[in-house]
Amino acid sequence: MGETRKRIAIDMDEVMADTLGKMLECYNRDYSDTLTIEHLHGKKLRHVAKCGGEVSKYFDDPLFLRDLKVLPDSREVIRELQGRYEIFIASAAMEVPASFAAKYEWLKEHFDFIPSTHIVFCGDKSIINADYLIDDHAYQFERFRGQGILYTACHNVEETRYPRVNNWREVAEMFLK
Amino acid sequence: MGETRKRIAIDMDEVMADTLGKMLECYNRDYSDTLTIEHLHGKKLRHVAKCGGEVSKYFDDPLFLRDLKVLPDSREVIRELQGRYEIFIASAAMEVPASFAAKYEWLKEHFDFIPSTHIVFCGDKSIINADYLIDDHAYQFERFRGQGILYTACHNVEETRYPRVNNWREVAEMFLK
């Protein structure tokens, strides 16, 4: 059965987990700023933050990723997808080695129906053998062997090379109709 | 360039790292036993250990994997392979989530020429998109899309379905001649 079902690999940050929401919250608190998602259209937080690239320091805290909010409908839709596809979670966790444990625990808490065998922490996602990859980073699609599906995030709104989904309802529309 | 070179994925435990050696050392010390590699021909340690499956408790120590010995010639041969192939390290780390950090640090210490982008912690290795997978677990080859190369370990000596290498000199022979 696993051999015949198509395979979908799904990114975590900004696709399943509201990483940016927590970044904004921490940044606004620490720098007395009032940035919102709307300020980030087409940009990354580090391009508009008072502290520039230093915002990435939040990732140094091993617990930063532990209490991220689950993005709307992701749990329900992924569970439904699992009925028809083989689902793998593929996170570029190697960028932030301190985050391995927190990422794994977050998945176990919120997506306990994904078996550990189907969780992948990697860097370059061209190593992923799947038919589809749902990700907010278009550069991950360039060498990916399957079809990249761009999940909308502030930083990728100008990208036009790939099919796009704006939310999990649209993922359901694309894969479950 | 990355697109044209063939890709080799390499397992860590029992292929790059002497996990069994350390297991035996700890087990013999704690159970006053004198087991050697020779006692394990065709078997797993848990099948001959006085404590049975409990030997796997050593993996619960997050530091157990941190000071494993590097298997002979693996560093030199992998470095050479990197000149001709795209090399990924693919470890079934999801079986022992407590080990993520130790595994990553071990790789950074002993194989610092492998970029983080090319390290993968996974479970089911059929998710690996590579031409070859060098691994001591034959079950990982069953759904793998490329060619599995079995790296000899005590537990797999009876396995005959896949090309076999007994050490890293034989890997060099296979891939670098």
Side-chain angles (χ1 to χ4, degrees):
Chain A
M1 171 137 180
E3 285 79 0
T4 55
R5 282 183 303 171
K6 293 257 186 192
R7 235 180 221 190
I8 306 176
I10 303 171
D11 177 37
M12 273 179 77
D13 291 309
E14 301 296 296
V15 175
M16 297 165 71
D18 186 13
T19 319
L20 182 62
K22 179 144 182 223
M23 287 284 271
L24 274 175
E25 203 179 294
C26 294
Y27 164 78
N28 284 330
R29 177 196 66 205
D30 296 346
Y31 292 87
S32 311
D33 207 344
T34 53
L35 285 182
T36 65
I37 294 280
E38 286 67 38
H39 293 102
L40 295 176
H41 192 85
K43 297 180 202 129
K44 300 209 168 198
L45 178 52
R46 65 171 180 269
H47 299 136
V48 292
K50 294 178 187 176
C51 59
E54 255 187 56
V55 285
S56 66
K57 74 182 173 193
Y58 292 115
F59 286 121
D60 295 342
D61 173 2
L63 293 179
F64 176 79
L65 297 165
R66 184 63 190 87
D67 63 353
L68 299 183
K69 292 199 182 83
V70 175
L71 282 173
D73 304 318
S74 61
R75 191 162 21 204
E76 296 71 19
V77 175
I78 292 173
R79 200 198 293 266
E80 255 194 280
L81 286 171
Q82 227 180 13
R84 288 211 225 160
Y85 300 86
E86 188 176 7
I87 302 296
F88 280 82
I89 308 305
S91 173
M94 293 301 152
E95 289 165 9
V96 193
S99 71
F100 295 146
K103 284 203 165 194
Y104 183 84
E105 286 162 18
W106 187 89
L107 278 172
K108 287 289 148 194
E109 180 182 346
H110 299 290
F111 294 83
D112 61 333
F113 54 88
I114 304 279
S116 298
T117 51
H118 284 55
I119 298 173
V120 187
F121 290 168
C122 59
D124 178 344
K125 291 188 186 174
S126 72
I127 195 63
I128 299 295
N129 178 27
D131 300 290
Y132 303 96
L133 170 59
I134 303 176
D135 208 298
D136 64 317
H137 287 292
Y139 71 84
Q140 293 285 13
F141 301 150
E142 283 162 23
R143 298 204 302 152
F144 174 60
R145 70 182 297 258
Q147 173 67 56
I149 309 284
L150 193 66
Y151 193 96
T152 295
C154 304
H155 65 82
N156 70 29
V157 289
E158 316 279 2
E159 176 62 57
T160 56
R161 289 174 294 166
Y162 304 97
R164 175 184 291 277
V165 285
N166 291 299
N167 53 57
W168 278 94
R169 285 289 120 214
E170 291 188 15
V171 176
E173 192 72 25
M174 184 178 278
F175 287 100
L176 295 168
K177 284 288 155 180
Chain B
M1 169 136 182
E3 284 80 0
T4 56
R5 282 183 302 171
K6 293 257 186 193
R7 236 180 221 189
I8 306 176
I10 304 171
D11 177 36
M12 274 179 76
D13 291 310
E14 299 297 298
V15 175
M16 299 165 68
D18 186 13
T19 319
L20 182 62
K22 181 147 181 220
M23 288 284 272
L24 274 174
E25 203 179 293
C26 294
Y27 164 77
N28 283 329
R29 178 196 66 205
D30 297 346
Y31 292 87
S32 311
D33 208 342
T34 54
L35 285 182
T36 64
I37 294 279
E38 287 66 39
H39 294 101
L40 296 176
H41 191 86
K43 297 179 203 131
K44 300 209 167 197
L45 179 51
R46 64 170 180 269
H47 299 135
V48 293
K50 294 177 186 177
C51 59
E54 256 187 53
V55 285
S56 66
K57 74 182 173 194
Y58 292 116
F59 286 121
D60 296 342
D61 173 2
L63 293 179
F64 176 80
L65 297 165
R66 184 62 189 87
D67 63 352
L68 300 183
K69 291 200 183 82
V70 175
L71 281 172
D73 304 319
S74 60
R75 190 161 24 203
E76 297 70 19
V77 175
I78 292 174
R79 200 198 292 268
E80 255 194 279
L81 286 171
Q82 227 180 13
R84 289 212 225 158
Y85 299 86
E86 188 176 8
I87 303 296
F88 280 82
I89 308 306
S91 173
M94 293 301 152
E95 289 165 9
V96 193
S99 71
F100 295 147
K103 284 203 164 193
Y104 183 83
E105 285 162 19
W106 187 89
L107 279 172
K108 286 289 148 194
E109 180 182 347
H110 299 291
F111 294 83
D112 62 332
F113 54 88
I114 303 279
S116 298
T117 50
H118 285 55
I119 298 173
V120 186
F121 290 167
C122 58
D124 178 344
K125 291 189 187 174
S126 71
I127 194 63
I128 298 295
N129 177 28
D131 300 290
Y132 304 96
L133 169 61
I134 304 175
D135 208 298
D136 65 316
H137 288 293
Y139 70 83
Q140 293 286 12
F141 301 151
E142 284 161 22
R143 296 204 301 152
F144 174 60
R145 69 183 297 258
Q147 173 66 58
I149 309 285
L150 193 65
Y151 194 96
T152 295
C154 305
H155 65 82
N156 70 31
V157 290
E158 317 279 4
E159 176 63 57
T160 57
R161 290 173 293 165
Y162 304 98
R164 175 184 291 277
V165 287
N166 291 299
N167 53 57
W168 278 94
R169 285 289 119 213
E170 293 189 13
V171 176
E173 193 73 27
M174 184 177 278
F175 287 100
L176 294 168
K177 284 287 158 182

